[in-house]
Amino acid sequence: MLRIDKLMLAAALSCAALAGGARADGTVEVLHWWTSGGEAKAVGELKQAFEAEGGKWIDSPIAGGGGDAAMTALRARVMAGNPPTAVQLKGPGIQEWAEQGALNDVQDVAEVGNWDSVLPPALAKIMKYEGKYVAAPVNIHRVDWIWASPEALKKAGVEAMPTTWEEFNAAADKLQDAGLIALAHGGQPWQDATLFETVVLGIGGADFYRKALVELDDAALRSDTMIASFDQLRKLRSYVDPNFSGRDWNLATGMVMRGEAGFQIMGDWAKGEFLAAGKVPGEDFLCASTPGNGFILNSDSFTFFKVSGEDNLKGQKVLARLIMSPEFQKVFNLAKGSIPARTDVPLDDFDICAKRSHEDLLAAIENDTLVPSMAHEMAVPRSVRGEFLDLVTQFFNSDMSSQDATTRLADAVQRAM
Ligand code: BGC
């Protein structure tokens, strides 16, 4: 009898320990770089959804557009044996960390949620390692956008959004003649590379883009088309204001918002900034794809690092499930400026730019002109991307000729491969 009592007491105590120690819906420490107005609003939606389920959210934001600072912080955390539970990570970076054995999979969550049937196959492939999901995608961002101030365009007598680079240059000349800044830009390597890749797509087309920036084909990298792309990048350099160096991308968006500048070339996270400031697309600001045919894809996702403890493991699974829920994909993307990664979320409540993005995405898939972003870590390993960023930034900040830039870029990529 006494023995049974003792056993019952021990069982009761371990239940109490579980209830007190491990939270019902786990804990996550989330490392991300979403610190601008629109970005913070979007990540706030995820935090709120996680907390509404009883989970504990520890926020680890690392400021710095494009995520380079966040990736440096991540490496330091992993080296120290203390990885965060969930990390904003994408493209080949997911595979690189998975190959090192650093990631937990969330395959069981993916199977219950039927992720295979609701994600575009190209995106699902990026999220998997050895057939199992190790990441959950939150969105589809498009990189090749021009954002414009209708007020500035009007002042300069520019009647329509440019559809060729010649038209872009002519419009930019008019803006400058009217005493306005033609192109709002922040001189940071990832922003320079963002301009560069949109120009490569526009000048060379999707097949050329793929050869040069994804397959790293030496002949493409040394071609006249690449020289022509650098020529157009040089032209863009002449349209930025003298204070561009080091400026954050969202401050450049602010210049368009206030009508000080005519254009910004930036992914649709810029739209998140306009929306967070209460601006209406088509009225307060305009969107159009950069000249050329195609769609440069950038998708944000979260990976789940190898952490221990029931509480953390539970947190990872709850977060993965929430990220892929249709409700979350809707509210998050309404704030972020992107469109849902899931293909089954209705876009009725989304704005004209998002609808355009979706239509162009489908057309690009159909015409095989969908290409992954080099600047936003969707296309090549980090080491190769680093070479692109270094060279493009050097070009942007010097009087290097297009011919020299082309040769130096091809040599650098070859060394990095
Ligand atoms: C990310 C976006 C982010 C942007 C600026 C991109 O690489 O995909 O989510 O808003 O960088 O930080």
Side-chain angles (χ1 to χ4, degrees), residues 68-83:
D68 291 298
M71 292 302 101
T72 305
L74 171 64
R75 269 192 300 281
R77 290 283 303 266
V78 176
M79 297 284 255
N82 176 30

Side-chain angles (χ1 to χ4, degrees), residues 6 11 25 140 180-181 283 297 312 318 358 362 370 404:
K6 266 192 176 163
D25 277 305
I140 292 179
L180 294 159
I181 297 163
E283 290 176 24
L297 173 75
N312 294 324
V318 171
H358 182 245
L362 296 182
L370 179 66
D404 273 1

Side-chain angles (χ1 to χ4, degrees), residues 118-161:
V118 295
L119 286 177
L123 203 54
K125 199 171 151 218
I126 299 172
M127 303 297 131
K128 289 181 186 178
Y129 178 68
E130 294 183 337
K132 290 183 178 166
Y133 280 93
V134 291
V138 289
N139 63 6
I140 292 179
H141 266 309
R142 180 182 197 174
V143 178
D144 48 319
W145 280 116
I146 306 177
W147 308 96
S149 153
E151 186 196 323
L153 296 191
K154 196 164 169 229
K155 255 192 215 156
V158 176
E159 274 155 24
M161 287 294 266

Side-chain angles (χ1 to χ4, degrees), residues 55-352:
K56 181 177 171 201
W57 174 285
I58 302 167
D59 206 35
S60 289
I62 309 280
D68 291 298
M71 292 302 101
T72 305
L74 171 64
R75 269 192 300 281
R77 290 283 303 266
V78 176
M79 297 284 255
N82 176 30
T85 357
V87 178
Q88 183 192 352
L89 198 71
K90 46 193 176 170
I94 298 173
Q95 306 298 318
E96 285 171 26
W97 282 110
E99 269 159 26
Q100 291 180 34
L103 303 184
N104 276 337
D105 73 76
V106 286
Q107 183 60 18
D108 49 350
V109 182
E111 276 168 20
V112 173
N114 241 329
W115 292 10
D116 272 344
S117 65
V118 295
L119 286 177
L123 203 54
K125 199 171 151 218
I126 299 172
M127 303 297 131
K128 289 181 186 178
Y129 178 68
E130 294 183 337
K132 290 183 178 166
Y133 280 93
V134 291
V138 289
N139 63 6
I140 292 179
H141 266 309
R142 180 182 197 174
V143 178
D144 48 319
W145 280 116
I146 306 177
W147 308 96
S149 153
E151 186 196 323
L153 296 191
K154 196 164 169 229
K155 255 192 215 156
V158 176
E159 274 155 24
M161 287 294 266
T163 58
T164 62
W165 286 109
E166 290 72 36
E167 281 177 21
F168 182 91
N169 297 341
D173 287 338
K174 283 189 177 173
L175 283 157
Q176 280 191 332
D177 289 347
L180 294 159
I181 297 163
L183 183 62
H185 179 66
Q188 295 173 346
W190 72 272
Q191 294 190 59
D192 300 339
T194 298
L195 292 187
F196 171 71
E197 69 181 17
T198 63
V199 168
V200 169
L201 176 68
I203 302 274
D207 285 345
F208 176 77
Y209 179 106
R210 223 173 266 139
K211 272 214 168 80
L213 303 194
V214 185
E215 293 159 15
L216 307 173
D217 177 82
D218 194 56
L221 286 168
R222 292 181 197 279
S223 66
D224 288 348
T225 311
M226 191 51 88
I227 296 177
S229 304
F230 275 110
D231 284 345
Q232 177 57 34
L233 189 62
R234 176 64 70 218
K235 205 78 188 131
L236 294 184
R237 170 67 181 80
S238 72
Y239 294 135
V240 309
D241 68 307
N243 300 322
F244 78 101
S245 200
R247 175 188 288 138
D248 285 330
W249 65 273
N250 51 321
L251 300 184
T253 309
M255 291 161 66
V256 176
M257 228 183 267
R258 293 188 299 276
E260 294 162 17
F263 299 126
Q264 182 184 22
I265 294 176
M266 186 49 67
D268 40 20
W269 44 94
K271 194 186 71 189
E273 293 306 295
F274 285 108
L275 298 180
K279 306 289 177 196
V280 180
E283 290 176 24
D284 304 319
F285 67 99
L286 308 175
C287 62
S289 60
T290 52
N293 282 322
F295 186 112
I296 305 181
L297 173 75
N298 173 27
S299 168
D300 291 304
S301 45
F302 281 94
T303 41
F304 306 97
F305 272 69
K306 278 233 153 73
V307 286
S308 53
E310 215 181 303
D311 196 35
N312 294 324
L313 296 172
K314 179 85 196 275
Q316 290 185 328
K317 289 189 195 296
V318 171
L319 193 68
R321 173 171 58 74
L322 275 176
I323 283 174
M324 275 294 288
S325 73
E327 300 77 25
F328 168 73
Q329 294 248 329
K330 181 176 167 185
V331 289
F332 176 84
N333 285 294
L334 280 172
K336 189 71 176 65
S338 36
I339 56 175
R342 285 182 75 112
T343 52
D344 60 348
V345 178
L347 294 181
D348 304 338
D349 295 337
F350 282 74
D351 60 51
I352 46 170

